[in-house]
Amino acid sequence: MIEGTVCNKAIAYLKPIIHDNDQSLLNDEVLELSHEESIAELPFNDDLIINFVYEVEDFEYFLYVNNGNLEEENMTIPEQRHYGIDNLIERANEYNLQIQEYETGCYGLILDGNFEASLILIDNLWEDSLKHYITNNFIVAIPSRDVLVFCDSQSEQAIEELKRTIQSVWEDGDHLLTNKLLIRSGGKWEYR
């Protein structure tokens, strides 16, 4: 982890967007935050956002970077994204990112139980490091923060396994993200 301020230690972290029609996901009380207290975020797609978290108290829990942190440290959101991705890469190296191969032609990324899904944000991972696992485009399932499974876009058997993985996690999982498959095309992720 980079030593220094809150912002330059923060790790990029995917979270679901709570849409107006998803108010049942919120507690009865809605907390109003000032701009400074609001969590710093970047859009990823229509359902997911990128937040930034940092570890405190000897790695026992995470706190979110808020807009006040960015202002105090004179950092922009694009700069925070850069630090967040670099710190995610560092975490993947530190925790020895592993690839699990399944019989169905799927592969899972195993990290630390917190940032597996966020690995989708590391372009070099998909453009270079993992490219030899597929021959076409990547299809990815990230049903929760701790699950990232991928396959080749032309493998129907593997895609069906990704759908079963989503269904299994979605039934009783926590820290849910999306029940949709994503495809990587032209260096971007979009829903399949």
Side-chain angles (χ1 to χ4, degrees):
M1 185 68 61
I2 296 172
E3 293 300 322
T5 63
V6 165
C7 294
N8 72 12
K9 293 189 300 185
I11 303 167
Y13 184 63
L14 278 180
K15 291 289 287 184
I17 294 173
I18 299 176
H19 297 284
D20 289 339
N21 59 349
D22 292 337
Q23 292 300 312
S24 63
L25 299 175
L26 297 173
N27 297 333
D28 293 337
E29 234 177 273
V30 176
L31 183 62
E32 294 288 329
L33 299 174
S34 68
H35 172 74
E36 291 79 18
E37 296 170 319
S38 296
I39 295 172
E41 61 185 45
L42 278 171
F44 179 73
N45 65 19
D46 291 341
D47 299 317
L48 300 170
I49 55 175
I50 304 168
N51 291 137
F52 307 95
V53 297
Y54 59 97
E55 295 174 299
V56 293
E57 301 298 323
D58 297 322
F59 310 112
E60 292 180 20
Y61 64 93
F62 296 97
L63 290 178
Y64 288 89
V65 171
N66 62 36
N67 291 316
N69 298 130
L70 292 175
E71 291 171 9
E72 288 170 13
E73 298 180 23
N74 197 28
M75 187 174 292
T76 65
I77 288 280
E79 290 169 332
Q80 180 62 78
R81 184 183 192 284
H82 174 77
Y83 276 108
I85 298 296
D86 282 353
N87 290 331
L88 182 59
I89 292 167
E90 186 173 327
R91 189 170 188 92
N93 291 329
E94 180 182 341
Y95 282 78
N96 195 23
L97 175 63
Q98 297 177 21
I99 300 169
Q100 174 74 44
E101 185 173 357
Y102 302 100
E103 292 179 13
T104 57
C106 295
Y107 302 88
L109 297 184
I110 301 167
L111 186 56
D112 67 352
N114 292 306
F115 293 96
E116 280 81 355
S118 297
L119 294 169
I120 200 169
L121 301 172
I122 303 174
D123 290 333
N124 288 343
L125 185 65
W126 303 98
E127 300 300 326
D128 299 324
S129 303
L130 299 175
K131 191 66 178 164
H132 68 278
Y133 286 93
I134 64 158
T135 55
N136 299 288
N137 292 322
F138 287 99
I139 299 283
V140 171
I142 51 170
S144 63
R145 74 175 183 187
D146 61 343
V147 176
L148 186 154
V149 185
F150 69 90
C151 70
D152 189 284
S153 62
Q154 298 302 309
S155 175
E156 289 304 319
Q157 177 186 5
I159 291 170
E160 288 305 313
E161 183 62 26
L162 293 185
K163 291 177 183 177
R164 285 190 292 275
T165 299
I166 289 172
Q167 184 178 11
S168 174
V169 171
W170 211 254
E171 285 176 9
D172 61 357
D174 63 353
H175 297 93
L176 298 175
L177 292 176
T178 182
N179 60 357
K180 301 171 187 171
L181 294 175
L182 292 114
I183 185 168
R184 187 166 180 90
S185 179
K188 304 271 187 226
W189 292 103
E190 55 190 43
Y191 287 127
R192 181 175 181 263

